[in-house]
Amino acid sequence: MVIKEEILQSVGAVTRRYRPSEIIFNEGDVPNYYYQIVIGDVKLNNYNDEGKEIIQTLLEDGQSIGESLLFMDKPYPINAIALTNCTILRLPKTVFFDLLKLYPEICLDMNKLLSQRLYFKLIMAQNLSSQNPTAKLKVLMDYLKSFQKEQSPYSFRIPLTRQQMASLTGLCVETAIRTIKLMERNKIVKIENRKILY
């Protein structure tokens, strides 16, 4: 969790609820709020010139949405869409900045979060130049597993669908499915009950 819910509520954050596929904000909207997920899953996406969806990131309970853009006077270059039923705290941008001044430790945590997200983007940007689908999927899996204490083979269940993995790596879903099967034959992953263990 980036900011404790009690702190956000104490300064006037409003609870909003979203249904699956409901838009939290659109590409082109002006960032006027800090959003933090209490419960639920959200995707940040946009579409290329051919209309293909590109998932930029997937967020879950306790994570904030699009916070880096509050520090710039630029519109959102992405959409935020609820994947599941979501409960989200929303705080006006001006109050969010006052909160950062009031709690320097929150400011430090925010810098850590922004650094982590920048690191993910750098890894994925380097990964997109690869022509090898196994290498692309492995980089994504390595990144996701890096936050787990247990690092032994097959100890981590990939929390993404094959479609989400394809969208995050720039692959088509059919290629992702074939590559994951190949990775299973090569003992890189194990598949149990349609779940990918890495």
Side-chain angles (χ1 to χ4, degrees):
M1 179 150 322
V2 183
I3 304 174
K4 290 181 181 174
E5 289 176 36
E6 303 79 39
I7 293 174
L8 289 171
Q9 290 166 340
S10 74
V11 294
V14 174
T15 301
R16 307 268 318 241
R17 288 179 174 70
Y18 298 87
R19 294 181 308 279
S21 300
E22 195 170 349
I23 295 168
I24 299 160
F25 59 75
N26 277 308
E27 182 176 353
D29 289 351
V30 176
N32 289 321
Y33 297 96
Y34 170 80
Y35 296 93
Q36 186 166 298
I37 304 166
V38 176
I39 189 163
D41 297 315
V42 171
K43 69 178 173 181
L44 300 183
N45 76 348
N46 52 12
Y47 297 90
N48 67 15
D49 294 338
E50 292 87 43
K52 179 183 175 190
E53 179 185 36
I54 299 167
I55 296 177
Q56 299 297 334
T57 194
L58 298 166
L59 304 168
E60 57 189 21
D61 302 1
Q63 293 185 301
S64 54
I65 308 169
E67 69 293 323
S68 62
L69 294 157
L70 293 172
F71 297 93
M72 305 172 64
D73 289 324
K74 301 278 185 200
Y76 287 115
I78 51 173
N79 306 297
I81 302 168
L83 288 172
T84 61
N85 286 317
C86 292
T87 301
I88 296 175
L89 290 170
R90 187 176 88 165
L91 186 69
K93 177 179 177 175
T94 54
V95 180
F96 170 71
F97 284 135
D98 291 340
L99 188 65
L100 293 181
K101 291 174 193 168
L102 194 59
Y103 293 94
E105 65 276 10
I106 292 175
C107 198
L108 181 60
D109 289 343
M110 190 63 56
N111 283 328
K112 287 179 185 175
L113 171 72
L114 295 174
S115 296
Q116 180 183 346
R117 292 197 176 156
L118 179 59
Y119 178 73
F120 174 74
K121 288 295 178 193
L122 289 171
I123 285 176
M124 295 313 291
Q126 291 171 348
N127 194 25
L128 288 176
S129 64
S130 171
Q131 298 301 311
N132 182 336
T134 300
K136 288 182 176 218
L137 289 169
K138 193 167 181 325
V139 166
L140 175 62
M141 291 179 192
D142 284 340
Y143 176 79
L144 294 170
K145 189 173 180 176
S146 72
F147 296 97
Q148 305 301 312
K149 196 175 254 188
E150 180 58 55
Q151 291 292 310
S152 62
Y154 316 125
S155 61
F156 177 65
R157 186 177 69 79
I158 302 295
L160 306 173
T161 66
R162 285 144 178 84
Q163 177 64 62
Q164 291 168 335
M165 293 174 74
S167 293
L168 283 166
T169 56
L171 299 171
C172 67
V173 70
E174 294 82 7
T175 301
I177 290 168
R178 276 194 312 273
T179 304
I180 290 165
K181 287 179 183 174
L182 176 65
M183 291 171 79
E184 182 184 31
R185 283 194 297 275
N186 291 333
K187 301 194 183 320
I188 298 169
V189 300
K190 190 185 282 189
I191 299 174
E192 290 181 358
N193 298 323
R194 298 189 39 80
K195 303 296 181 196
I196 302 167
L197 302 176
Y198 180 63

